[in-house]
Amino acid sequence: AAAAREAGFIDMTSAAGDARDLVAAATRRFAGMGGTILYLCGEDRAADVAAALAGAGVRVATTPVYRMVAAERFPPP
C-alpha cells in the first residue's frame, strides 16, 4: 500500500494477511460493484484468489509481476 501511495495511487487497501484475508477484504469492498479488479501477484501462488472472488461475483484480472528464485549463494555481508 505504501509503494502504491508513493506511485500516486490515492485509494488502496491492504488485507494484511494471507489469501483468505485478501478474498474477504476484496469481497467486502467490491462485491456487487461490477467492473474488474487488478490482482498483481507472484508467478507461483498458493491460492486461486481470482476463482474465490468469482464465487462472490467479483471479476479479477490476474497479472503476475514477480517470481521467486532460489539463491545459489548469499552475497557477502
Side-chain angles (χ1 to χ4, degrees):
R5 245 181 242 105
E6 289 175 17
F9 290 89
I10 57 172
D11 185 11
M12 76 253 23
T13 301
S14 174
D18 61 12
R20 186 178 13 239
D21 297 318
L22 177 60
V23 168
T27 298
R28 283 190 304 273
R29 182 157 183 184
F30 300 111
M33 291 183 67
T36 303
I37 63 171
L38 175 61
Y39 174 40
L40 303 176
C41 58
E43 189 174 273
D44 299 310
R45 296 174 293 282
D48 191 345
V49 170
L53 287 170
V58 179
R59 290 189 325 202
V60 178
T62 301
T63 304
V65 295
Y66 67 89
R67 68 183 172 120
M68 295 181 284
V69 178
E72 293 181 20
R73 63 181 178 277
F74 290 107

